[in-house]
Amino acid sequence: MAFVPTAVPWSPEHQIQRLQVTRKLLQTEDQAAFPLGGATPRYLYLASNHSNKWGHPRGYRIQMLSFAGEPLPQNSSVERALSWGRYKLAVTRRKEEEPTSSSVFNQNDPWAPTVDFTDFVNNETIMGEDLVAWVTAGFLHIPHSEDIPNTVTVGNGVGFFLRPYNFFDEDPSFYSADSIYFRRGQDAGACEVNSLACLPQAAACAPDLPAFSHGGFYDS
């Protein structure tokens, strides 16, 4: 998102700052590595070479939720063993020799780590390649009295969403069995319009339960 100076139509001598969507294609690993604490684009998504019926590239958006603090100082002698913590997100080319961002053996010798994640980000092209998105998510929790007897989860959730972004031509939930969408003039009782209208045929394995009664209440 960018603010673009625009003249006010009814008052051309004045300007306003209008938000405008701007697109930028990231072509290398260095461009697609976002340091922790730095600015991140509002929308980040991995696009394919295929388009949906609207002409937009099919892809997946990465939506992060994280409250991670400052990374380990790079002048620390053990920082290379935890160098993945430098980034909130890094997109690299997929390689068989780069299966994980760290190694269990890093804890044995953090001064000469087996895996140094910064070696993965070496400015190689990511255009038209199989990609891996490395997401760092975390938060700092300092124990306090409200943690007794149980630590609440509200406000402590972190993670990320991998959401379809122009991947489908429309909302795929319309085709869910428990979702009904029909237009004016259509017969809501027709099977081709309302799948639930033909539930016995669609779900023939549903049990035939006998009538139920309890305390004067009846259900059949």
Side-chain angles (χ1 to χ4, degrees):
M1 305 297 295
F3 286 98
V4 179
T6 306
V8 180
W10 58 88
S11 183
E13 66 275 15
H14 296 102
Q15 284 189 338
I16 59 174
Q17 300 291 329
R18 177 177 294 173
L19 272 176
Q20 178 176 299
V21 177
T22 60
R23 292 181 173 89
K24 181 180 179 181
L25 186 63
L26 305 179
Q27 302 185 29
T28 66
E29 292 177 337
D30 285 12
Q31 292 176 346
F34 300 94
L36 195 66
T40 306
R42 182 76 61 88
Y43 280 77
L44 282 164
Y45 83 101
L46 307 179
S48 70
N49 294 326
H50 304 282
S51 300
N52 61 14
K53 74 174 183 179
W54 310 103
H56 300 290
R58 298 179 185 271
Y60 282 88
R61 177 189 175 192
I62 300 176
Q63 189 173 351
M64 296 173 289
L65 176 65
S66 176
F67 307 100
E70 294 297 323
L72 196 66
Q74 294 186 25
N75 58 6
S76 170
S77 60
V78 299
E79 193 273 340
R80 290 178 54 232
L82 306 167
S83 59
W84 50 265
R86 297 184 189 182
Y87 308 98
K88 64 176 68 175
L89 170 68
V91 179
T92 65
R93 292 175 61 172
R94 183 189 179 277
K95 297 179 181 179
E96 291 291 340
E97 61 270 22
E98 296 177 353
T100 59
S101 60
S102 184
S103 169
V104 67
F105 300 109
N106 281 14
Q107 63 183 342
N108 298 333
D109 189 3
W111 303 276
T114 303
V115 176
D116 182 354
F117 181 74
T118 56
D119 293 337
F120 295 10
V121 184
N122 54 5
N123 210 31
E124 290 183 303
T125 181
I126 56 177
M127 296 286 294
E129 302 288 343
D130 291 334
L131 304 178
V132 179
W134 309 88
V135 182
T136 301
F139 68 98
L140 173 65
H141 177 76
I142 301 177
H144 49 89
S145 58
E146 286 78 14
D147 291 332
I148 302 171
N150 295 307
T151 301
V152 297
T153 58
V154 178
N156 292 331
V158 296
F160 70 95
F161 295 98
L162 190 63
R163 302 176 58 180
Y165 196 79
N166 290 322
F167 187 86
F168 299 101
D169 294 333
E170 57 186 358
D171 183 1
S173 67
F174 282 153
Y175 302 101
S176 299
D178 59 347
S179 178
I180 305 171
Y181 177 78
F182 53 89
R183 300 180 178 87
R184 178 185 299 180
Q186 291 181 313
D187 182 9
C191 297
E192 60 272 14
V193 175
N194 179 5
S195 59
L196 295 184
C198 300
L199 194 58
Q201 291 83 0
C205 61
D208 184 13
L209 300 176
F212 173 78
S213 65
H214 177 72
F217 292 93
Y218 296 89
D219 183 24
S220 59

